[in-house]
Amino acid sequence: MPQSKLLLLSTCLAITFLFGCGSMTYPDVNVDPAKNNKATFQQDAIVCARSYPSSDSGAHFKERISCMNLKGWR
C-alpha cells in the first residue's frame, strides 16, 4: 500500500511540474508592427539568451521571457 501512495504522489508532482512549466509561453508578437518580423525576433532572442545564460534551475526561461517583454514582444 505505501508504494502505491508514493507512485500516486510522484505522478501528481510530475504532472503539476509539466503543467506549471507549460504555462510560460515565449512571446512571439511585437507591439510595434515595424519590429514584428522574424529577423528582429531572432536578433532580440539572441540578445536575451546572451544576457541570461542557461542555468540548471531553469530560471533563465523566466528571465529571457521578461527580457523579450521589455523589448515589446508579447
Side-chain angles (χ1 to χ4, degrees), residues 16-70:
T16 303
F17 177 75
L18 290 174
F19 280 114
C21 291
S23 66
M24 290 190 304
T25 57
Y26 206 78
D28 60 351
V29 177
N30 199 305
V31 294
D32 183 0
K35 293 182 179 181
N36 197 15
N37 58 61
K38 188 175 181 177
T40 304
F41 174 82
Q42 288 178 341
Q43 181 181 4
D44 287 346
I46 289 170
V47 168
C48 290
R50 286 183 181 155
S51 298
Y52 300 99
S54 297
S55 64
D56 291 337
S57 66
H60 63 283
F61 290 118
K62 187 174 180 181
E63 297 297 331
R64 289 178 186 179
I65 290 171
S66 296
C67 177
M68 291 294 282
N69 287 337
L70 287 173

